[in-house]
Amino acid sequence: MSTITFTRTEPPAWLLAMWQEIDDKTFGPGFDCFAEDAICNLGVADWHGREAIRQNLRDFIDKGFTAHHDVIEYLDSPLLKIFHGKVRMTFDDPAIAPVRPTMTHFFYMDEQDPTKVSRWVGSVGPTGF
């Protein structure tokens, strides 16, 4: 068993840049926060490698909606970052009402290079009941 102490603080620039890349549908340098061999588990996703994460998120987002991520809470420790927020999902089909589900994400930093995310575990939603 180990103890981790967290500090509630403003989210770092690297995290905001990544969300902005998703919101803008650009998927560019904001994804450089991931180690080349990073693993991402979002819901049922199991993506391996920075480029796979970038491409799979692009493929998902480009399937009919635009996202906007809002920070509610960010908790920081040296090797684990916790993000709680809301994501507004506006659908391309005007018949589908926008939703704003809660999201929770855990970012495990690379032990060799703690400026890079080695594993991203997160969940969004549900988007409705």
Side-chain angles (χ1 to χ4, degrees):
M1 184 181 291
S2 61
T3 300
I4 301 174
T5 300
F6 290 93
T7 302
R8 185 176 182 173
T9 186
E10 294 299 313
W14 64 263
L15 182 61
L16 296 175
M18 188 213 38
W19 292 134
Q20 193 65 51
E21 295 280 2
I22 295 170
D23 294 349
D24 293 345
K25 296 187 176 187
T26 50
F27 301 94
F31 280 79
D32 293 345
C33 63
F34 293 102
E36 283 187 41
D37 61 348
I39 296 171
C40 176
N41 301 114
L42 293 177
V44 298
D46 184 29
W47 303 327
H48 294 253
R50 177 191 310 143
E51 295 312 313
I53 295 167
R54 184 190 320 259
Q55 188 59 51
N56 282 303
L57 277 171
R58 180 191 318 264
D59 293 346
F60 174 68
I61 297 293
D62 281 348
K63 287 186 179 169
F65 72 94
T66 299
H68 177 80
H69 295 81
D70 293 312
V71 175
I72 303 291
E73 183 176 30
Y74 176 77
L75 301 171
D76 191 26
S77 75
L79 292 176
L80 176 59
K81 320 300 183 181
I82 300 175
F83 171 86
H84 165 227
K86 296 273 191 174
V87 58
R88 185 178 68 242
M89 301 166 78
T90 305
F91 297 92
D92 296 344
D93 181 347
I96 302 173
V99 294
R100 193 167 180 258
T102 294
M103 31 174 216
T104 306
H105 298 279
F106 295 83
F107 296 94
Y108 295 86
M109 307 310 285
D110 189 271
E111 290 185 21
Q112 308 308 314
D113 182 357
T115 67
K116 301 288 185 186
V117 176
S118 64
R119 185 164 182 223
W120 175 15
V121 177
S123 63
V124 177
T127 59
F129 285 107

